[in-house]
Amino acid sequence: MRIRGAIFDVDGTLLDSMFIWDTIGEAYLRSIGYQPKENLNETFKNMSLHQAARYYQTEYGVTQSIDEIMDGVNAMLERYYRFEVPLKPGAAELLERLRQDGVKLCIATATDRHLVEAALDRCGVLSCFGEIFTCNEVGHGKDEPDIFEVALRFLGTRREETLVFDDALYAVRTAKEAGFPVAAVYDSHEKEQDKVRLLADIYLKLEEME
């Protein structure tokens, strides 16, 4: 397989950051003096931030406004990304190898641009990427192929020569159904690894690249 372009996910693929999304609901609640109930993070999995903020008010009696709660959660996320979240082991080496081979690189992520830029810049790899595309800006999640199509047009490479790197089963499935070759990156947050491995053209554990 000759690869001329690569589209990278961020959380769980380049950054070891999925734990943040698993714990942010409880962490924020504790930070404002409330004790979370059991399985709060599971409750939040399918909620938007606005819905979660409303849940804080109705279920915990949080007196802050919706906007204040959302600002507080976003500030906590920004601190994580700006100062703490690490690259996965082997990620920097993988990016450098691709760059040396002349592969064009860009980002396709569900995470907000300013968080991605802060983390990748601190980790020294932001300059590897020609552009960042986010689901919010494109207007579609990775359950639809739009963000991959936008990234492909930017790269200007042929679909069959453009490798999508992602850790999540639903994103791997979307990219495969859209005709992209896919490199699935192992992350413990994705529980259906057998399905991921079967769908992907390449299956990576970045730790192995150290």
Side-chain angles (χ1 to χ4, degrees):
M1 184 191 301
R2 178 69 172 104
I3 298 303
R4 300 184 185 277
I7 302 169
F8 274 87
D9 174 54
V10 175
D11 294 290
T13 299
L14 290 174
L15 295 179
D16 191 7
S17 54
M18 293 307 298
F19 73 94
I20 294 170
W21 300 98
D22 282 344
T23 60
I24 188 68
E26 292 183 357
Y28 175 71
L29 201 57
R30 288 193 180 97
S31 77
I32 58 173
Y34 294 81
Q35 184 60 35
K37 300 172 185 174
E38 191 174 354
N39 296 324
L40 177 62
N41 291 314
E42 192 67 28
T43 301
F44 280 173
K45 265 191 174 179
N46 297 316
M47 288 188 184
S48 68
L49 181 53
H50 189 278
Q51 289 170 326
R54 171 64 68 185
Y55 187 87
Y56 282 139
Q57 291 179 330
T58 58
E59 296 297 318
Y60 288 90
V62 174
T63 56
Q64 295 173 338
S65 69
I66 296 289
D67 285 343
E68 287 172 335
I69 293 170
M70 292 173 63
D71 287 347
V73 173
N74 281 325
M76 183 173 282
L77 283 171
E78 183 154 3
R79 286 195 296 274
Y80 278 130
Y81 279 82
R82 191 171 294 281
F83 300 112
E84 297 183 31
V85 175
L87 282 176
K88 282 193 162 182
E93 291 82 357
L94 172 61
L95 293 173
E96 182 57 29
R97 187 182 306 173
L98 290 170
R99 283 218 303 179
Q100 287 179 0
D101 288 344
V103 178
K104 298 177 180 178
L105 308 178
C106 70
I107 294 287
T109 178
T111 303
D112 286 347
R113 174 183 293 271
H114 71 287
L115 299 177
V116 170
E117 288 178 341
L120 296 185
D121 186 42
R122 173 177 49 78
C123 293
V125 298
L126 181 60
S127 63
C128 294
F129 301 99
E131 186 55 274
I132 295 170
F133 299 98
T134 73
C135 291
N136 279 342
E137 292 170 355
V138 172
H140 296 270
K142 288 189 183 177
D143 55 339
E144 301 174 284
D146 300 74
I147 193 167
F148 300 123
E149 300 291 352
V150 170
L152 180 65
R153 287 196 293 273
F154 168 80
L155 292 172
T157 49
R158 296 169 63 188
R159 185 180 305 267
E160 63 270 23
E161 296 179 334
T162 306
L163 191 58
V164 173
F165 288 80
D166 212 299
D167 63 295
L169 174 60
Y170 79 102
V172 169
R173 181 181 288 120
T174 299
K176 283 294 294 180
E177 289 176 351
F180 290 90
V182 174
V185 178
Y186 171 79
D187 190 88
S188 60
H189 182 266
E190 175 55 69
K191 302 305 181 187
E192 297 191 88
Q193 289 299 321
D194 289 344
K195 292 180 180 179
V196 171
R197 189 189 291 267
L198 283 172
L199 276 174
D201 299 278
I202 300 169
Y203 186 78
L204 295 175
K205 287 192 174 182
L206 290 184
E207 294 85 350
E208 296 172 355
M209 301 188 63
E210 290 186 298

